[in-house]
Amino acid sequence: MSVVADHPAAAPTPTDHVPTGVFDRPDMPRDSAHERVVFCQDPDTGLRAIIAVHSTALGPALGGTRFYPYASEQDALTDVLRLSRGMTYKAAVAGVDPGGGKAVIIGNPNAIKTPTLLGAYGRFVESLGGTYVTAGDVGTNSDDLDIIAEETAHVVGKNTTAGGTGDSGPQTALGVFLSLLAAAESTWGSDDLTGKRVGVEGAGKVGYNLVALLRDAGAEVIVSDSYAPALDRIALDFPGVTVGSDIIGADIDVYAPCAMGATLDASSVARLSASIVCGAANNQLLTPDVEALLAAREIVWVPDYVANAGGLIQVEGELRGKDSAEVMATIGKIRDTVAGIFAIARTEGILLGAAADRLAEDRIAAAQN
């Protein structure tokens, strides 16, 4: 893993300080050495950001920018390292050609996000010379990306009025929904969700659209979110949807985490009544061994980076100039991919996570040969 701290003069000044634990971290898989990890601080705007380029084996690293009030720089670093590795695997399994990268901006976006800060961040992205292409994530939206794009061409997910494809939330939700249909068919022998109780944790850009798809499919939906206006919108637009505060502990058939990750650990798995876990949140398992705990309770976990690939496919289409029909066709293949992962797992007697990883690693290895 290399830490790069050289930027053109026009870009915000990177810091010389590197948080402890960047190299050979015990909480990262041994196969996860990053090509480049870059730290930036711009005192004039308050920008503190990290860009992690995990792999460019398939193409320039593509991944969203998460703007979040991390408790510490170490937490931010851990998140960006895990997220960027996930993007590499997500693109490989989805059959699209960007590499894996991710960025985080440290701070509360409601308090410190300004056009000048976003401009400084755009110059930071530009300083990597196209090695990293950014998009939206938690805390950033298409309006923010339009501002970032004033400073760099290496950005996707802009508003349609700015030449982009807009919010990727609906396509991410569609991929999750298609993944759930495949999981339901494999687990219950039918993809009919009528009467199934689905707990959606997080009612933001993705969760809202997933609720719409689930309701159309006849599912009973219970939703939670820490942001009251998001729940108000759900209640207004989807009468009959139940609002809850403890989705994991609720009586549900499907747990769909669509907010922050790491909600599944030994204690939460013990409380979970669902038969299927399928959601949009990245890094849902606190540690990889949690999947074995789920399997021991006969709970199926659809690997998050497979289920939530719809948004990546959309912005990759924007990057490559693909038309909407081609993008939607690729998103539609997510269901077949999930079904194939189930088949591999059954045939070889391995967990779904291992089966998905194998698909990703085989494609990456082929690209490197």
Side-chain angles (χ1 to χ4, degrees):
M1 184 189 296
S2 61
V3 178
V4 180
D6 55 318
H7 292 261
T13 304
T15 63
D16 292 328
H17 170 67
V18 177
T20 302
V22 178
F23 300 101
D24 300 322
R25 292 173 60 109
D27 58 341
M28 293 291 293
R30 286 296 178 183
D31 64 354
S32 66
H34 287 65
E35 294 180 10
R36 196 176 191 191
V37 180
V38 193
F39 300 80
C40 176
Q41 181 173 5
D42 182 39
D44 290 341
T45 63
L47 174 68
R48 291 186 298 152
I50 310 170
I51 293 176
V53 174
H54 178 259
S55 172
T56 56
L58 297 176
L62 172 59
T65 296
R66 177 166 294 186
F67 203 141
Y68 189 74
Y70 293 97
S72 68
E73 292 178 7
Q74 191 70 15
D75 288 348
L77 175 62
T78 296
D79 204 26
V80 78
L81 292 176
R82 295 189 72 192
L83 290 167
S84 54
R85 178 181 183 271
M87 292 302 296
T88 296
Y89 279 63
K90 184 184 303 188
V93 170
V96 291
D97 291 334
K102 204 78 175 186
V104 295
I105 298 175
I106 302 170
N108 182 349
N110 296 323
I112 70 168
K113 186 197 295 182
T114 63
T116 54
L117 181 147
L118 293 172
Y121 175 68
R123 294 191 293 277
F124 180 32
V125 172
E126 179 65 20
S127 73
L128 272 68
T131 304
Y132 169 68
V133 180
T134 195
D137 198 86
V138 174
T140 56
N141 56 38
S142 294
D143 291 339
D144 301 328
L145 296 170
D146 288 353
I147 296 171
I148 293 168
E150 294 175 5
E151 301 291 344
T152 180
H154 308 300
V155 54
V156 288
K158 304 182 297 294
N159 284 303
T160 54
T161 53
T165 54
D167 178 21
S168 61
Q171 307 314 331
T172 303
L174 177 58
V176 172
F177 180 72
L178 294 173
S179 299
L180 176 55
L181 294 181
E185 187 167 21
S186 179
T187 304
W188 298 318
S190 170
D191 64 0
D192 186 2
L193 299 181
T194 303
K196 297 294 185 183
R197 287 177 55 82
V198 182
V200 179
E201 191 172 67
K205 295 180 287 187
V206 179
Y208 175 90
N209 286 283
L210 181 59
V211 169
L213 293 168
L214 291 168
R215 292 286 288 171
D216 288 346
E220 298 180 15
V221 182
I222 178 172
V223 182
S224 71
D225 198 293
S226 59
Y227 186 54
L231 293 177
D232 292 340
R233 184 187 181 200
I234 290 286
L236 179 64
D237 293 349
F238 305 109
V241 167
T242 302
V243 173
S245 59
D246 180 18
I247 296 296
I248 286 179
D251 180 17
I252 52 178
D253 300 298
V254 179
Y255 170 50
C258 293
M260 299 299 286
T263 57
L264 291 169
D265 57 18
S267 61
S268 60
V269 168
R271 299 175 57 238
L272 194 62
S273 65
S275 300
I276 296 171
V277 175
C278 181
N282 289 300
N283 301 321
Q284 295 163 13
L285 311 183
L286 180 63
T287 54
D289 61 333
V290 172
E291 186 181 5
L293 300 179
L294 289 166
R297 296 200 57 222
E298 299 185 347
I299 300 172
V300 169
W301 174 65
V302 180
D304 42 50
Y305 68 78
V306 179
N308 65 18
L312 169 65
I313 293 169
Q314 175 183 324
V315 295
E316 189 271 344
E318 180 181 333
L319 180 67
R320 306 295 187 191
K322 298 177 181 178
D323 62 34
S324 59
E326 184 177 359
V327 168
M328 292 304 294
T330 305
I331 294 173
K333 294 177 182 177
I334 291 176
R335 177 169 180 169
D336 293 337
T337 299
V338 174
I341 290 169
F342 270 92
I344 292 171
R346 282 194 301 268
T347 300
E348 301 189 18
I350 59 178
L351 295 176
L352 293 170
D357 284 354
R358 181 176 302 174
L359 287 180
E361 289 160 3
D362 286 349
R363 183 160 185 253
I364 294 166
Q368 292 173 326
N369 292 334

